[in-house]
Amino acid sequence: MRPDPQKMLQWIKPSPPTDKELECMKLLQPGDYEIYTEKLNNFLLESKEVFLKLGVSSMLRSGDLVTGIYTPTGDMVAAWCGTYLHAVVGQIPIKYIAETWINEPTVGCKDGDIFYLSDPLYGGIHNCDQIVVMPVFNDGELIAWTNAAVHQPETGACEPGGMPLTAKTRHDEGMLLSPIKIGENFKLREDLVEMCVNLISRAPRMQAIDMRARLSAADRLRGRLVTLAQEKGNDFVKGLFRRIIIEAEEGTRHRIKEWNDGYYRGVTFVDIVGEKHRLVRNFLTLHKEGDQLTWDFTGTSPETDSPQHCMPHALAANVAIHLMSYSFHDLPVSAGIFAPMEWIVPEGCMFNPHFEAAQSNSAPSCHGAMTLGNICMSKLMFDSPQRELVAAATGNTGVGVLVSGTNQWGVPISDFLAFGLNTEGHGARLDMDGVDAYGFSHCPTGRAPDIEDIENEFQFFNLVAKLSRDSGGFGKYRGGSGTEVIYVVNYVDYALYNSHVKGSKIRNCMGLFGGYPPPTLPGIEVKNTNIWEKLKRGDKDIPTGAVQLISERTIQGDYEIGSIFKKVHIMKNGDLWVIFSGGGGGYGDVLERDPGMVMEDLRKEVISRWTAENIYHLAYDHETLEMDEEKTKQLRQKEREDRISRGMTWDAFEKEWSQLRPAEEILEYYGSWPDGRKTREIIRM
Amino acid sequence: MGTKRQITEYLDIDLEKELWCCNRCGYVLISARENYKKGCLVYIRKDLNTIYNSPVKGPFGFAPDPTWAMLVEFYCPGCGTMVENEMLPPGHPVTYDIELDIDKLKEKHLLSGTDKQAKK
Ligand SMILES: [Zn+2]
């Protein structure tokens, strides 16, 4: 039977050490811990390269993937990240298999077995994320597990792309695999592979190849661990693994202990439910006491009849991306980090729905919570030895741009256009700007695919792919810029396209300490264009950016400006559309930004003249772009005075603010206003 | 600096007096046991085109839809520094974002070594 959600949440934490493991730790000689931890990391790096070179789907090739090493009881020891979230949840199916299938006579577990799963109810994130798990045996003893996971953008659901916006229950979401033994003797069973390929018939080639890529990566890692055990002995491996987990736990506790006790709160808003623009809120109270952190998501909007849900363990894993890439970045990526943490995720909220709920949009539904983790941790770390790790939120738009149909090579595809996905803006930092086009919110190391590669693989021409002006949140330090891409349907008569990008109404990204949040993102499409004629003629007025496209309108066609979030629809040859990836949040007051840095942004066209003058209050010569320092100082002083004169006292503000309320229509799924409590039952068929 | 401790980019806590103060100008905002935002001057930015100069007007542009979101800005009454801001749906309560355990904070920084020993 499915594991209980609360049990899965607890499975993120390490199991207590056994006497045997503590005994085995004594086998490590001085220097062994350092040498062999590094060795494990090298094994992981190698398996990641194997994975990357053998797969075909776009996220896999962008490096948005993980390979990991786990103890025989399923505790995470080390992982190549990659997608930190997959490393964290990787523990759950292993613990489930260890508890359920190992001693089940019809299943069992022996050397060469291969397990496979995708169901979030058994520890996955959403059913796009397929995970292979392999036991590692040496001398007949189970000494470890390895895994390899990557998102696959097709699941055989009711819409192409694996994340159907119209899904009302899990029965609309296609292939959902509880952990099954899919192979024996180091080989996949072809009858079961055929079943999966058949279920993923919109993109069968991707399923057939990427299953093998996952297996190859996990098996390479397995082989290396066997060699290590043969060289050093099984007990040495046990001791090493436990030492890594303990080091991470002790390091985490020590660090938390130094921070200031208290409550740190944040709220973010998301503008999509199912196929509609509706408001929901995510609320976090982070309680720090002694060496413990408690993550309490009470106050988050209730579950809905949409696919924008996730399981509590998936929420924790998504929030952990920030923990592992910032707060505890220098500690081993292991289960030890979670030992001093508790998670409160009330039943019936969007992060802990009924098991029948659709949750194929699990990862994107966590972006608001990821912002909250980032912001609350930054407030917690400011007055601490970790001050240098303080930063505003990453873009967190989740640039899911999904395309399907038959490509120019006659191959049916259903995949991400992963450029925007991997080029979101980074949050501005305590002492510097965020990185422009830094990466993917779920995978800091992800890289945007090469444009030429995209054009070779897919039925699209990239008219524009560049940094988007004014897209990073303004502040003393600027949020990293996001990007803008213009895609044109090429080679084929038509293609299908949908977008899961959020943030046309309100962004779930936040600035920090007076830094502004980044701008919203409109959707732009132009149909029935004359783009090919213009390119053939060599016209000089082809737009080089989204704003130019819509303001000059030199390309003829039917312009539609609406939401960036799009249901699946047909785009014909020559039709084009714009996709923005969100910029990051700003840090600190705009009036404290070094005027020289504003000038530099202006020269690089990262910001517009309007922004330089109206936001940063910069005085400069429009011809020579030379700054007037004295005048800038005066303008900024004037703005400070204006703020003081327009600012209200708290009581006056409360009186005016409490009279306001959003339109009833957008609160359809919000829950009670303003505290987001459950107000109705969701009936699922 | 005296007994002040910097808690955010723009806020200090005076530990002896238990007060939130502006880090830039020293202005006393409010008791450290209160939400510092209540000691700030507050401005409701209803038209977000004043921050995000959207070339696209209408319900979908580069500035949030004002029926969905407004920006609440918190200024230091002494020097006009923007201490913090919040993007909120109209009327949504302002967040009490930093509620420190003031007693623990004082204990950490004000008690001498011998006092700490005695307390144990
Ligand atoms: Zn001040």
Side-chain angles (χ1 to χ4, degrees):
Chain A
M1 199 47 201
R2 287 184 311 273
D4 177 73
Q6 290 305 324
K7 185 173 184 176
M8 288 199 284
L9 199 47
Q10 290 304 314
W11 272 348
I12 287 177
K13 296 179 173 214
S15 346
T18 61
D19 291 344
K20 173 73 180 170
E21 285 174 328
L22 294 173
E23 196 57 37
C24 291
M25 277 169 60
K26 294 178 188 154
L27 294 171
L28 271 69
Q29 299 298 313
D32 276 352
Y33 172 75
E34 291 75 11
I35 291 167
Y36 288 94
T37 316
E38 195 49 30
K39 212 160 193 147
L40 294 184
N41 288 334
N42 286 332
F43 295 167
L44 288 161
L45 194 61
E46 182 195 26
S47 64
K48 177 272 258 185
E49 284 299 321
V50 167
F51 202 172
L52 204 64
K53 287 185 169 58
L54 293 179
V56 290
S57 60
S58 59
M59 287 179 84
L60 191 160
R61 290 179 40 176
S62 297
D64 303 329
L65 47 82
V66 78
T67 60
I69 301 170
Y70 302 81
T71 66
T73 48
D75 297 327
M76 175 169 58
V77 173
W80 184 84
C81 293
T83 43
Y84 288 102
L85 72 163
H86 290 139
V88 176
V89 299
Q91 304 178 99
I92 299 168
I94 296 173
K95 290 183 181 186
Y96 175 80
I97 293 165
E99 186 181 271
T100 317
W101 297 143
I102 287 187
N103 298 316
E104 161 58 43
T106 62
V107 186
C109 177
K110 59 183 187 311
D111 199 14
D113 283 351
I114 304 158
F115 290 90
Y116 208 76
L117 81 145
S118 67
D119 193 336
L121 298 182
Y122 290 82
I125 299 281
H126 51 169
N127 63 326
C128 307
D129 298 346
Q130 298 182 21
I131 308 170
V132 72
V133 176
M134 284 192 88
V136 184
F137 283 88
N138 184 47
D139 291 337
E141 187 185 7
L142 178 68
I143 56 163
W145 296 84
T146 62
N147 79 350
V150 68
H151 179 110
Q152 188 155 301
E154 176 55 33
T155 56
C158 60
E159 288 171 34
M163 297 198 283
L165 296 166
T166 53
K168 300 283 184 202
T169 76
R170 71 198 307 263
H171 308 289
D172 301 322
E173 297 183 314
M175 184 173 83
L176 281 150
L177 299 176
S178 57
I180 55 167
K181 194 191 281 186
I182 204 167
E184 289 176 309
N185 300 317
F186 311 103
K187 287 197 171 64
L188 290 166
R189 267 181 55 174
E190 284 305 320
D191 55 344
L192 294 175
V193 173
E194 181 65 24
M195 178 192 81
C196 295
V197 171
N198 181 46
L199 286 167
I200 312 295
S201 55
R202 286 193 193 101
R205 172 176 166 266
M206 176 171 74
Q207 181 66 26
I209 295 175
D210 286 359
M211 284 180 92
R212 289 172 170 84
R214 288 182 187 88
L215 173 59
S216 303
D219 189 53
R220 175 63 64 95
L221 197 49
R222 184 199 62 79
R224 292 294 182 194
L225 290 174
V226 170
T227 311
L228 174 68
Q230 282 170 353
E231 184 192 321
K232 301 293 294 181
N234 289 355
D235 285 355
F236 179 89
V237 173
K238 280 177 209 145
L240 174 68
F241 283 4
R242 181 49 70 175
R243 169 87 186 270
I244 290 172
I245 293 170
I246 288 176
E247 289 281 338
E249 175 174 346
E250 286 177 353
T252 306
R253 285 189 191 280
H254 175 76
R255 192 161 295 175
I256 294 174
K257 208 169 179 177
E258 289 186 311
W259 300 338
N260 291 335
D261 284 359
Y263 293 89
Y264 300 81
R265 299 184 190 86
V267 62
T268 48
F269 302 90
V270 182
D271 65 353
I272 299 174
V273 178
E275 315 173 79
K276 300 182 204 165
H277 271 296
R278 292 291 183 269
L279 187 74
V280 290
R281 87 168 187 169
N282 299 156
F283 200 94
L284 170 63
T285 303
L286 176 61
H287 183 207
K288 187 263 148 178
E289 190 174 11
D291 63 0
Q292 285 276 330
L293 285 180
T294 305
W295 301 82
D296 184 353
F297 286 90
T298 304
T300 294
S301 288
E303 62 179 296
T304 64
D305 59 356
S306 81
Q308 282 101 1
H309 302 110
C310 74
M311 298 296 288
H313 66 263
L315 171 71
N318 276 294
V319 171
I321 298 165
H322 184 266
L323 300 179
M324 292 170 150
S325 48
Y326 280 82
S327 318
F328 308 111
H329 69 97
D330 47 351
L331 297 175
V333 180
S334 89
I337 288 177
F338 301 102
M341 296 187 200
E342 291 298 333
W343 303 80
I344 300 170
V345 191
E347 213 175 300
C349 82
M350 62 181 280
F351 299 139
N352 190 1
H354 188 272
F355 72 89
E356 285 285 324
Q359 45 179 309
S360 48
N361 284 250
S362 161
S365 75
C366 288
H367 288 131
M370 288 158 69
T371 291
L372 294 175
N374 184 333
I375 293 294
C376 288
M377 285 304 288
S378 286
K379 288 175 180 172
L380 180 50
M381 291 189 298
F382 188 93
D383 179 28
S384 87
Q386 280 70 47
R387 184 178 291 184
E388 63 178 15
L389 302 175
V390 165
T394 292
N396 284 334
T397 32
V399 191
V401 181
L402 293 154
V403 292
S404 53
T406 304
N407 73 4
Q408 62 269 44
W409 309 105
V411 176
I413 59 120
S414 177
D415 210 339
F416 272 110
L417 289 175
F419 185 89
L421 200 64
N422 286 281
T423 55
E424 287 197 302
H426 187 220
R429 291 162 283 182
L430 174 95
D431 51 358
M432 61 184 120
D433 291 347
V435 177
D436 296 330
Y438 111 108
F440 178 31
S441 43
H442 299 276
C443 180
T445 57
R447 54 186 188 183
D450 183 79
I451 293 296
E452 304 291 332
D453 274 357
I454 298 175
E455 291 182 344
N456 185 50
E457 292 265 322
F458 299 112
Q459 55 273 43
F460 307 101
F461 167 68
N462 282 246
L463 184 64
V464 168
K466 66 170 192 177
L467 294 181
S468 198
R469 202 168 62 178
D470 283 337
S471 61
F474 311 130
K476 176 182 180 181
Y477 294 107
R478 175 178 58 72
S481 291
T483 57
E484 57 192 54
V485 186
I486 302 180
Y487 294 106
V488 190
V489 180
N490 194 11
Y491 305 116
V492 296
D493 293 339
Y494 70 93
L496 294 166
Y497 152 61
N498 64 343
S499 147
H500 293 63
V501 191
K502 296 182 285 295
S504 275
K505 290 294 192 181
I506 184 171
R507 286 286 300 275
N508 56 16
C509 173
M510 292 165 81
L512 184 65
F513 302 148
Y516 281 118
T520 45
L521 309 165
I524 300 164
E525 290 189 354
V526 191
K527 290 175 178 154
N528 305 312
T529 71
N530 64 341
I531 178 83
W532 302 130
E533 289 162 45
K534 287 182 73 67
L535 288 170
K536 210 172 205 173
R537 278 201 303 267
D539 287 1
K540 300 284 184 248
D541 59 359
I542 306 281
T544 57
V547 170
Q548 198 188 355
L549 171 75
I550 51 174
S551 39
E552 296 178 8
R553 303 206 175 194
T554 54
I555 295 175
Q556 286 170 18
D558 307 320
Y559 283 72
E560 295 170 17
I561 297 172
S563 172
I564 193 164
F565 160 71
K566 301 276 183 202
K567 300 179 212 180
V568 61
H569 61 293
I570 292 170
M571 298 290 278
K572 290 185 295 186
N573 190 294
D575 289 354
L576 62 86
W577 78 96
V578 181
I579 278 296
F580 296 99
S581 71
Y587 179 97
D589 189 346
V590 285
L591 299 184
E592 288 195 356
R593 185 164 179 78
D594 177 349
M597 290 169 80
V598 182
M599 236 23 262
E600 191 58 22
D601 281 350
L602 200 52
R603 283 194 200 100
K604 289 181 178 163
E605 299 188 16
V606 177
I607 61 167
S608 60
R609 291 187 171 202
W610 188 93
T611 297
E613 290 160 27
N614 294 279
I615 303 302
Y616 291 111
H617 300 270
L618 186 80
Y620 63 100
D621 186 313
H622 282 220
E623 296 297 312
T624 62
L625 290 189
E626 265 174 58
M627 186 207 343
D628 183 336
E629 213 163 337
E630 199 44 47
K631 182 88 189 296
T632 300
K633 218 177 251 176
Q634 288 166 16
L635 290 174
R636 289 182 170 189
Q637 185 52 37
K638 165 88 172 43
E639 171 59 13
R640 283 177 187 273
E641 287 158 14
D642 288 352
R643 285 175 177 180
I644 291 170
S645 66
R646 72 178 175 242
M648 293 180 273
T649 62
W650 176 260
D651 290 343
F653 158 75
E654 273 286 282
K655 202 172 164 201
E656 181 179 342
W657 185 247
S658 60
Q659 301 301 310
L660 304 176
R661 190 184 157 109
E664 213 49 51
E665 186 196 57
I666 70 168
L667 298 177
E668 182 182 357
Y669 293 105
Y670 183 94
S672 58
W673 176 261
D675 50 354
R677 270 177 293 110
K678 189 171 177 172
T679 48
R680 59 175 174 154
E681 285 304 316
I682 298 292
I683 298 168
R684 296 189 177 87
M685 286 186 280
Chain B
M1 194 68 185
T3 61
K4 280 185 181 173
R5 189 85 200 162
Q6 190 179 1
I7 303 297
T8 81
E9 178 71 32
Y10 298 118
L11 295 171
D12 294 341
I13 284 183
D14 183 321
L15 293 168
E16 271 172 359
K17 296 182 184 147
E18 297 189 6
L19 292 169
W20 284 111
C21 308
C22 174
N23 171 273
R24 296 297 190 263
C25 73
Y27 187 94
V28 172
L29 294 173
I30 199 164
S31 159
R33 294 178 192 269
E34 284 272 4
N35 185 352
Y36 66 84
K37 290 171 183 171
K38 294 183 178 178
C40 295
L41 288 172
V42 193
Y43 175 63
I44 307 171
R45 194 176 286 278
K46 293 179 180 165
D47 179 6
L48 290 168
N49 278 292
T50 56
I51 298 291
Y52 313 106
N53 179 39
S54 182
V56 186
K57 306 296 175 200
F60 295 99
F62 294 94
D65 183 332
T67 66
W68 282 66
M70 292 178 185
L71 195 67
V72 182
E73 300 183 347
F74 302 95
Y75 308 134
C76 166
C79 63
T81 294
M82 179 144 51
V83 168
E84 190 50 286
N85 64 56
E86 278 197 77
M87 185 72 81
L88 296 170
H92 186 283
V94 160
T95 314
Y96 188 1
D97 61 335
I98 304 177
E99 184 185 357
L100 295 179
D101 186 327
I102 300 300
D103 297 328
K104 289 261 182 63
L105 195 66
K106 288 173 75 169
E107 192 181 305
K108 190 161 148 187
H109 299 292
L110 291 185
L111 291 187
S112 67
T114 38
D115 289 344
K116 276 183 188 169
Q117 280 299 341
K119 225 177 144 112
K120 274 179 193 165

